[in-house]
Amino acid sequence: MKNKRLIGVLAALALLVIGIIVYQSLSSQNQKSSQSDTFKVGVLQYVSHNALDEIYRGIKAGMKEEGYSGKKIKIDFMNAEGDQSKVQTMSQTLVNHKNDVLIGIATPAAQGLASATKDTPIVMGAVTDPVGAKLVKNLKKPDGNVTGVSDKTPIKAQVDLVKTLTPKVKTIGVIYSSSEDNSKSQVAEFKKRAEKKGYEVLEYSVPSTNEIATTMNVMLEKADAVWIPLDNTIASAFPTVVSAAKAAKKPIYPSVDTMVNEGGLASVVVDQYELGVATGKMAVKLFEGKNVSDLPVNIFDKGTPVVNKKVAKELGITIPADVLKKTKNK
Ligand code: TRP
């Protein structure tokens, strides 16, 4: 009798324990699946300028198009404001936050993230020269944890545009930041192509935005026109470049539409928003289970001409009808 009661109590206890274990494991599974339903994405933007801001808008839109908005996504956004030490600490913070995927907008941001983790997948948002920046070795089949979108503006078409719009130009001054790997390769290509067409190219690199004004003044004593690569430092202080060129009555050929709108003369450009949309969609693919090596770097290299008619008028430049016909900003 006593034994039976004991067995009964033990059996009840055992059932209780099993019940608790089953309940706990079920509820922890629930927790896990609701956690992995939410896409945790860390975004590091290198600096604020209109083009990068536009890319970030595109990134959010691209992720939303794939169904990631509202409660389905948690965006951990940081902006390093062009400060290299912030790039490092913010990259580390975004890794520590255990985001599922990381996005670096512009080369220095992608480089910061890549040196902070070799595990979490990283998507480059608009990195001009992923190989030169040592972010990817094989563009077709990325081998590390980094893939993404590359903006290779059509430099040949830009040189041709200088010839078409300003046939009298002989010497072109180039201003860029000495610390941006993206600019180095663009400047080398521009120099090669422009010299082939008979131009003299004068290069001026600046260590920071502080030197832009004086450098522009030195440059404009010799150069007939200014060409600017996709350089974040110059883009973030572009009004300084514009006011110097305006005073000297010389045209600026930037590499992006936002800088044409802000006072450049003309360019052949890649759409910034679309770069962002493609970046956002790639991040979603990684979250949904694709591997970095399944996703080749997406290269945008076809451009559309853009012209600032107000600046053309101020400089007394007539835009030929066939160029105007092709431009994006009618
Ligand atoms: N391609 C640049 C990089 O590799 C980033 C960038 C995108 C950019 N659009 C731009 C820089 C427009 C200046 C202007 O870092």
Side-chain angles (χ1 to χ4, degrees):
M1 183 69 193
K2 232 181 171 183
N3 266 352
K4 260 193 184 165
R5 249 175 76 187
L6 190 64
I7 288 170
V9 169
L10 280 177
L13 263 176
L15 271 178
L16 189 69
V17 169
I18 289 169
I20 289 170
I21 290 171
V22 167
Y23 174 80
Q24 274 188 344
S25 89
L26 276 180
S27 72
S28 88
Q29 253 175 24
N30 266 343
Q31 215 178 358
K32 254 190 214 146
S33 72
S34 69
Q35 247 171 21
S36 64
D37 265 359
T38 308
F39 176 21
K40 284 181 66 184
V41 57
V43 182
L44 180 62
Q45 178 171 330
Y46 175 54
V47 68
S48 297
H49 61 71
N50 286 338
L52 296 191
D53 296 348
E54 186 72 6
I55 290 170
Y56 182 46
R57 271 193 289 279
I59 289 173
K60 286 186 284 188
M63 297 191 297
K64 192 170 175 186
E65 260 181 57
E66 298 299 313
Y68 291 90
S69 59
K71 285 204 177 109
K72 289 200 74 182
I73 187 163
K74 202 170 153 288
I75 304 181
D76 195 354
F77 177 81
M78 294 189 182
N79 187 327
E81 297 299 351
D83 179 337
Q84 201 52 46
S85 70
K86 280 193 187 162
V87 167
Q88 278 173 27
T89 51
M90 288 177 173
S91 294
Q92 198 52 57
T93 307
L94 289 171
V95 171
N96 294 347
H97 286 176
K98 303 224 175 313
N99 285 293
D100 300 308
V101 177
L102 299 167
I103 298 176
I105 306 178
T107 301
Q111 287 173 323
L113 293 171
S115 60
T117 177
K118 301 283 172 254
D119 303 319
T120 313
I122 296 169
V123 184
M124 305 177 290
V127 165
T128 303
D129 182 10
V131 177
K134 297 198 164 57
L135 284 160
V136 180
K137 279 201 195 103
N138 184 344
L139 296 172
K140 293 212 176 87
K141 200 170 170 29
D143 36 10
N145 60 329
V146 184
T147 185
V149 174
S150 173
D151 51 345
K152 260 189 104 35
T153 49
I155 291 181
K156 184 176 179 294
Q158 291 181 1
V159 176
D160 292 343
L161 191 65
V162 174
K163 189 127 259 162
T164 310
L165 298 187
T166 45
K168 287 195 188 125
V169 165
K170 290 199 166 49
T171 304
I172 305 173
V174 172
I175 185 164
Y176 65 103
S177 153
S178 48
S179 66
E180 291 189 33
D181 286 331
N182 40 299
S183 303
K184 285 175 201 152
S185 56
Q186 293 175 80
V187 171
E189 185 184 343
F190 179 82
K191 193 169 156 67
K192 199 182 79 194
R193 292 192 183 278
E195 285 178 349
K196 226 177 173 174
K197 295 263 170 177
Y199 290 109
E200 187 186 353
V201 177
L202 304 173
E203 283 182 38
Y204 294 86
S205 70
V206 291
S208 76
T209 54
N210 295 336
E211 294 77 17
I212 292 177
T214 45
T215 306
M216 280 303 294
N217 290 334
V218 172
M219 176 210 280
L220 288 165
E221 281 172 20
K222 299 184 202 146
D224 308 320
V226 182
W227 179 81
I228 301 171
L230 291 170
D231 183 292
N232 299 288
T233 308
I234 307 297
S236 70
F238 194 51
T240 313
V241 176
V242 171
S243 62
K246 207 170 171 177
K249 297 195 170 52
K250 291 182 177 167
I252 306 170
Y253 289 93
S255 297
V256 64
D257 56 353
T258 50
M259 287 160 85
V260 171
N261 297 338
E262 291 160 33
L265 172 63
S267 187
V268 184
V269 303
V270 168
D271 192 288
Q272 302 297 295
Y273 187 78
E274 292 305 328
L275 286 171
V277 169
T279 304
K281 288 188 173 177
M282 211 179 238
V284 167
K285 286 206 178 106
L286 289 164
F287 174 64
E288 290 184 342
K290 284 255 192 261
N291 295 317
V292 165
S293 57
D294 301 331
L295 301 170
V297 174
N298 186 352
I299 301 170
F300 282 64
D301 56 4
K302 284 180 200 55
T304 315
V306 282
V307 172
N308 186 327
K309 289 186 197 158
K310 188 170 155 268
V311 170
K313 203 169 165 202
E314 280 166 14
L315 294 169
I317 294 166
T318 332
I319 310 292
D322 61 322
V323 174
L324 270 186
K325 237 189 353 209
K326 285 183 247 156
T327 56
K328 187 158 93 154
N329 49 350
K330 294 258 149 56

